[in-house]
Amino acid sequence: MTQDKQNLNTSYYPTLDENFKQALNLFEKNLTPGELFTLLNTGNIVQKQIAALKIDHIENIEQAKILVNNLTGQDGKIREAVALKIYELISGGQDKYFFDKSIYDTFLAATIDVNSNVCRNIITSLKFLQKNNDFCTYFTGKLIDLTQNLIQIVQKFDFQDGKYKVNKEVFKLYWCLETIFEFTEFIPPNVLKNIIKQTKDINEYTIREKTAKILTKIHKDPELSEIRNQLKHDKNYYVRRF
């Protein structure tokens, strides 16, 4: 299809071959950092994905924001590429550019992405930011609010109905608890205890599994020790293994 025909046909979508050729051309080009961030701002799916993968450093917080803004509201291929790049940059020592509240909010949203690879890479990245007290205070406050809201929603579900909504919200709570595991020491003990007391009884083993995992980091509370012992006798192996 010619470029003129593409312009006339508003329903035109690139073929797999066309996308591959475009991706290959972008990989072969020696693009400047400015060009890469322009593609991240205004490009199509292929352009944003390749631009994210080609970035090897950032120079300021504005570039970090451009990168992080592509963690939400974008095609899954873009979100996954961006999450991987963020992990590479932060773990590689460029974490100083990611200390900004607007970035923290997007990071929180990315921890419950529908794509597990996005969740894992962002949660792993966040561990490198824990040296910053302001980040930990702000982020854990938002994380607690999100987790408690999801608990209230999930507790009302009938897990026998098999609806997608149930699975989606459980998935979000699952990743919230995984994030809490990494931030346990920054969460007030009474708040953490309340979360555990609620999630230990949710009739979905993946939630009880994450609850049991969190309890492996808590050793001085008799009531939580009893809950951990209870979960060690859970009917599900993945819960019991902790």
Side-chain angles (χ1 to χ4, degrees):
M1 182 177 291
T2 66
Q3 185 64 45
D4 288 341
K5 289 181 179 178
Q6 289 181 29
N7 292 337
L8 289 172
N9 184 3
T10 58
S11 64
Y12 169 75
Y13 293 97
T15 66
L16 186 61
D17 284 344
E18 288 169 335
N19 277 334
F20 178 79
K21 289 177 181 178
Q22 184 180 25
L24 184 61
N25 287 335
L26 285 173
F27 261 122
E28 291 177 341
K29 285 184 178 179
N30 186 24
L31 299 172
T32 66
E35 289 172 327
L36 291 174
F37 282 101
T38 295
L39 287 177
L40 270 177
N41 250 338
T42 62
N44 59 30
I45 293 175
V46 172
Q47 291 169 338
K48 288 192 172 193
Q49 184 183 19
I50 301 305
L53 293 173
K54 284 178 71 73
I55 290 170
D56 59 9
H57 72 282
I58 53 179
E59 298 176 346
N60 52 60
I61 195 170
E62 293 308 317
Q63 290 182 346
K65 286 182 177 180
I66 291 172
L67 189 62
V68 172
N69 285 344
N70 281 281
L71 271 178
T72 58
Q74 300 292 333
D75 181 85
K77 298 183 184 69
I78 297 171
R79 301 196 315 275
E80 187 166 350
V82 168
L84 175 61
K85 183 55 59 176
I86 287 171
Y87 166 71
E88 291 176 352
L89 292 170
I90 289 180
S91 64
Q94 298 193 56
D95 53 289
K96 64 181 179 180
Y97 298 116
F98 292 89
F99 291 114
D100 181 270
K101 285 186 178 179
S102 64
I103 288 178
Y104 305 160
D105 290 337
T106 306
F107 277 164
L108 181 63
T111 63
I112 56 171
D113 193 278
V114 296
N115 184 326
S116 297
N117 291 328
V118 174
C119 302
R120 290 190 187 95
N121 276 317
I122 294 304
I123 292 171
T124 305
S125 300
L126 294 178
K127 292 190 288 184
F128 292 92
L129 305 183
Q130 290 179 352
K131 61 187 178 183
N132 184 294
N133 290 332
D134 289 339
F135 161 72
C136 290
T137 299
Y138 182 88
F139 182 81
T140 53
K142 294 286 188 174
L143 174 62
I144 289 166
D145 290 344
L146 176 60
T147 303
Q148 291 176 331
N149 181 57
L150 286 168
I151 288 172
Q152 293 178 9
I153 295 171
V154 171
Q155 283 178 328
K156 298 175 183 177
F157 285 158
D158 177 2
F159 286 94
Q160 304 302 316
D161 64 13
K163 292 181 180 178
Y164 173 71
K165 182 179 72 172
V166 172
N167 294 329
K168 183 173 69 172
E169 301 306 318
V170 167
F171 184 88
K172 292 178 182 178
L173 180 56
Y174 173 95
W175 285 109
C176 275
L177 293 175
E178 178 66 17
T179 309
I180 284 175
F181 173 78
E182 300 296 348
F183 282 82
T184 299
E185 64 186 285
F186 303 102
I187 298 176
N190 62 317
V191 174
L192 184 61
K193 187 172 183 175
N194 183 53
I195 289 172
I196 290 172
K197 289 171 68 174
Q198 293 181 84
T199 56
K200 73 178 179 65
D201 293 323
I202 289 179
N203 192 25
E204 163 56 45
Y205 84 88
T206 60
I207 301 305
R208 301 197 306 279
E209 176 190 1
K210 289 301 176 187
T211 303
K213 184 177 179 180
I214 293 170
L215 284 167
T216 63
K217 297 180 105 177
I218 304 171
H219 307 287
K220 297 181 180 180
D221 186 298
E223 187 175 3
L224 293 184
S225 294
E226 177 57 32
I227 292 174
R228 185 181 182 191
N229 184 60
Q230 173 189 329
L231 293 176
K232 279 184 174 293
H233 294 84
D234 193 271
K235 60 185 178 181
N236 186 279
Y237 163 76
Y238 292 101
V239 180
R240 295 197 306 268
R241 66 189 175 131
F242 289 106

